[in-house]
């Protein structure tokens, strides 16, 4: 199940409401979906497996401690605390992914590492449309062209 679909199943409770076994199990399902989403995002980002895999293993260990509860079971403080532990492990993975992205950006932006090409075009349509279009394209890349980003800015000005 997707993370969004899983989160949509969660319910809010207020003081005095019974916490049901499904509340714990739905949270467990969401944590598993979050784990899968974080693992996929780390792989997509190219995060080194030697950094991410141990964190995912820690998250898996935390998830394994969360008890499967059924109707009639007493929800124990540990049931809640193990969920908190798993969420903290998920946060650690997210922090590592963010750190990896940041290091990539810093490497690309390091002086001498950028190769910039640009193109500028202006188009004027008058008098029927009374429209001026200005377009600017730019590519920022590493000298080896391994990493690049294309930007396109278009400005439309109506002249009256």
């Amino acid at each position: 199940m997707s993370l969004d679909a899983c989160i949509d199943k969660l319910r809010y409770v207020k003081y005095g409401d019974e916490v049901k076994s499904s509340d714990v199990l739905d949270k467990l399902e969401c944590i598993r979906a979050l784990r899968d989403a974080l693992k996929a995002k780390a792989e997509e980002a190219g995060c080194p497996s030697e950094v991410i895999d141990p964190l995912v293993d820690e998250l898996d260990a935390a998830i394994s401690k969360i008890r499967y509860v059924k109707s009639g079971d007493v929800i124990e403080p540990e049931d809640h605390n193990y969920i908190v532990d798993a969420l903290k492990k998920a946060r650690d993975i997210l922090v590592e992914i963010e750190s990896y992205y940041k290091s990539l950006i810093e490497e690309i932006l390091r002086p001498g590492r950028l190769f910039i090409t640009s193109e500028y075009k202006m188009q004027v349509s008058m008098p029927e449309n009374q429209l001026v279009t200005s377009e600017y394209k730019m590519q920022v890349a590493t000298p080896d062209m391994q990493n690049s980003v294309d930007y396109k800015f278009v400005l439309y000005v109506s002249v009256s």
Side-chain angles (χ1 to χ4, degrees):
M1 177 178 292
S2 77
L3 182 57
D4 288 334
C6 184
I7 289 173
D8 288 343
K9 287 177 48 178
L10 298 177
R11 72 181 186 107
Y12 286 96
V13 295
K14 61 184 183 314
Y15 184 78
D17 285 350
E18 176 186 357
V19 176
K20 300 177 180 181
S21 60
S22 62
D23 294 326
V24 173
L25 298 179
D26 289 346
K27 290 174 193 169
L28 175 57
E29 189 174 351
C30 284
I31 291 170
R32 287 182 176 144
L34 177 60
R35 177 248 186 243
D36 293 343
L38 289 170
K39 175 89 169 145
K41 183 56 76 176
E43 289 171 359
E44 176 187 316
C47 291
S49 60
E50 62 270 10
V51 174
I52 292 299
D53 288 350
L55 295 173
V56 172
D57 291 343
E58 290 176 22
L59 175 55
D60 289 341
I63 290 171
S64 72
K65 292 179 182 178
I66 301 172
R67 182 171 64 111
Y68 183 88
V69 294
K70 58 189 180 309
S71 182
D73 286 349
V74 175
I75 307 294
E76 301 289 338
E78 291 80 20
D79 296 320
H80 170 80
N81 294 338
Y82 289 146
I83 289 171
V84 171
D85 289 343
L87 289 171
K88 287 181 177 182
K89 295 298 181 185
R91 179 200 54 205
D92 293 345
I93 295 170
L94 186 59
V95 165
E96 192 57 45
I97 294 170
E98 181 182 10
S99 174
Y100 181 73
Y101 272 128
K102 191 174 184 180
S103 70
L104 285 179
I105 291 169
E106 288 171 353
E107 177 63 21
I108 289 173
L109 295 179
R110 191 177 53 149
R113 293 285 298 164
L114 291 181
F115 178 71
I116 300 174
T117 58
S118 63
E119 175 186 322
Y120 179 76
K121 178 172 59 173
M122 183 172 188
Q123 178 182 7
V124 179
S125 303
M126 296 236 231
E128 314 85 41
N129 297 355
Q130 300 293 310
L131 184 67
V132 177
T133 304
S134 183
E135 184 177 297
Y136 182 77
K137 293 181 184 176
M138 180 174 73
Q139 181 183 53
V140 179
T142 55
D144 60 7
M145 299 302 283
Q146 290 285 350
N147 299 300
S148 69
V149 179
D150 295 318
Y151 297 96
K152 179 180 178 181
F153 305 95
V154 180
L155 176 65
Y156 298 97
V157 179
S158 178
V159 179
S160 43

